[in-house]
Amino acid sequence: MINGVKGVMLILTFLALGEVVSHFIYNFIPGNVIGMVLLFMALQFKVVNPHSVEYISLFLVRNMALFFVPAGVGLMVSYRLLGEHWLSITLATVLSTFLVIATVGHIQQKFGKK
Amino acid sequence: MREIICSEPFILALVLCSYYVGLRIERATRLSFANPLLIALIIIIPTLCLLDIDYPTFERGSHFINFLLGPSVVALGFTLHRQIDLIKGNVMAILCAIFAGSVVGIVSVIIICRLLGAPQEVITSLQPKSVTTPIALGISANTGGIVSLTAITVVICGILGSVAGPAMLKVLRIRNKIAKGLALGAAAHGIGTSRAMQMGPVEGAFGGMAIGLMGVITAILVPIIMKIIESLGI
């Protein structure tokens, strides 16, 4: 029980710390991404015991797609913004996404270590 | 009755039930297009229209789920920690891959939009489309884009990467787990990463890493690429 609370506490604390750092760098990098880096470093330097955040972390990352549902539903009102340029926006998005996946995937597959 | 269907418990239950149906359909069909997020949207949006619930009401009701996005990105730090052995020795390859991906992402948007005759503010709004929302909005605002247009293209790009991404990886014959995760995270930020996480812990962890790197590198590159294009007078 106490460990469950500890995990939630740690994740929220790192998120809050990330938000603070983000504020001081003029939000150049968002707080949650900084929180991710800070948690990674804290685990790496053994400031935080991995076991204490394991359960909550796995719960959060395995259900990440669910947390995007509200943002996705936002499309029902914002699709009108696409306006007269919807065709160029759609084509640019589809082709560019494909090209980014191809570039990143192939370079990593070719030059990275397995 | 009206009050009840607009209340938080009702809306949260609607979101969870729809997503659960999505998960069951995905598990039953094993098709990459049967994506739980997409199925949830296909169920929720018509339901809201049918019950005449407007988006601000839905947004208020589902705020708790939206909030969990922040903690889940932080939690990616834990999955990265678990993959430390794979990160070591791959740092240079990862940086090169994301750098090239960022350049290709920005330049391809510029070329396609120019060919189709889209105005400059549409181009500047679309340049950061592969980047996680908060960074993308910042890039768009700083370069004269339409921030609300950026916000929607980021979500569309994410859903596209999550639904069609696995098929694209197959066509491109990308089989390496690290490469798959990086590619999905780089092209489709958090939504792509959530999909990578369903493929496995290695894919998911590197998706998380790609969100951060792609965001920062793109934020630095967009103004530089715009300056280069301007000075070349193209």
Side-chain angles (χ1 to χ4, degrees), chain B residues 190-212:
Chain B
I191 310 185
T193 300
S194 69
R195 179 69 210 203
M197 200 56 85
Q198 290 163 354
M199 294 174 162
V202 175
E203 290 90 330
F206 284 92
M209 185 184 237
I211 300 175

Side-chain angles (χ1 to χ4, degrees), chain A residues 30 44 54 96 109 112-113, chain B residues 81-82 90 108 129 175-176:
Chain A
Q44 235 25 69
E54 180 173 2
S96 178
Q109 184 159 269
K113 273 200 255 174
Chain B
H81 164 75
R82 277 205 165 166
N90 265 312
S108 61
K129 60 155 187 26
R175 296 191 192 92
N176 176 279

Side-chain angles (χ1 to χ4, degrees), chain B residues 94-112:
Chain B
I94 291 170
L95 286 175
C96 292
I98 303 282
F99 182 87
S102 178
V103 173
V104 168
I106 300 166
V107 174
S108 61
V109 163
I110 298 176
I111 295 174
I112 297 162

Side-chain angles (χ1 to χ4, degrees), chain A residues 71-86:
Chain A
V73 174
L75 293 180
M76 76 186 247
V77 284
S78 53
Y79 72 93
R80 288 187 205 95
L81 280 167
L82 295 181
E84 51 174 321
H85 301 293
W86 66 271

